[in-house]
Every structure is written in structure tokens, then in C-alpha cells.
Amino acid sequence: MSRLAQIRAAILDVLNSIPEIGRVHDRQRHAVSDTDLQALHAWPEGDPAARVRGWYLRRVATRDASPTLGRRIVTHSWRITGLVEIDDAGASEIVLDGLVEAIRAGLAADETLGGSILGSVAEPDGETASGALVEAGEPAAFAGIPCHRVDLTLHTRHVE
């Protein structure tokens, strides 16, 4: 398994450990129809009353630095995107905030992601340990359904 795949798997393990997180995907999913896309993010899976509650992970950038000969410090920037169907009576925005904080806590609890990284940094060029940063959160249409959307960023660093 490549280091990139190992890091992706470790992040997904953290996400999947969060109770009631919903459907977690290792990539942004696509479908021919809105109905098919909704089904990929419906939770609980197989429940006729399921609502959109899904997450996906994307690597959005990679930087290399060579502070010494024969050694590269590789920093990957990851975007974790969450979607929760709007349900005012069910306080869906508060539910999403709770899930975000559980993700942040889960990532902070294992700063090296099981030894696959040196740690996370606030900015790709920075040195400060940070964990996941909440970048944006707003209502958004997803496959024709009103949802809350949140984007978290995680910068991971490892040696190659």
C-alpha cells in the first residue's frame, strides 16, 4: 500500500469510528441521477425514511520540501466534506456541529494516524500542530435536497 493510500485509510478509520456519522466515502462520489446520488449518501442505509448524511475525503494538494539531502518532507492537504439533510425540527445544524467536533477530537486523539504521518500542521508551510480546521459551513443543495455542508481541512506531513 502506498503512503498516500495508507494515510487515506487512516483518516477514513477515524471518520468511520464516529458514532452516527452516516455514510463515509473514500472519494467524492458521482452518479447519473440525483436519486442515485442521494442513495449513495442516504443514512441509515437501506431505511426507506433515510436522509442524506454523508462524508467524503479528497486530497486537494501536495507539497514537497527537501530540508536535507536524501529526505523529502511531503505535506498533503485533505478536504473532508460533510453533508447533512436539513431538518429544522431535528436540529440538523447542531447535529452536524457535533459530528464535526467528534471528527476533530478523533483526529487529535491520534496525531500520527497510527504512525502513518509525523503529524498535522496548521498550514502546509507551518510548524504548528493543528488537527482538522473547519473551513466553511453553509446550506447547500445536494442532489436536489437542501443540506448543511461543511468542509474541514487536514494537512498531514510525512517523510519520504
Side-chain angles (χ1 to χ4, degrees), residues 65-137:
S66 297
T68 61
L69 291 175
R71 178 177 134 144
R72 289 184 313 136
I73 304 294
V74 179
T75 303
H76 294 297
S77 298
W78 300 90
R79 181 172 302 130
I80 302 167
T81 299
L83 297 153
V84 172
E85 187 171 337
I86 293 176
D87 175 14
D88 187 65
S92 53
E93 184 174 352
I94 304 298
V95 169
L96 180 60
D97 280 344
L99 293 170
V100 165
E101 290 310 305
I103 290 167
R104 289 173 30 82
L107 290 167
D110 183 5
E111 292 180 4
T112 67
L113 293 173
S116 63
I117 62 170
L118 297 172
S120 62
V121 291
E123 296 296 330
D125 294 331
E127 293 297 327
T128 307
S130 66
L133 308 171
V134 179
E135 297 288 347

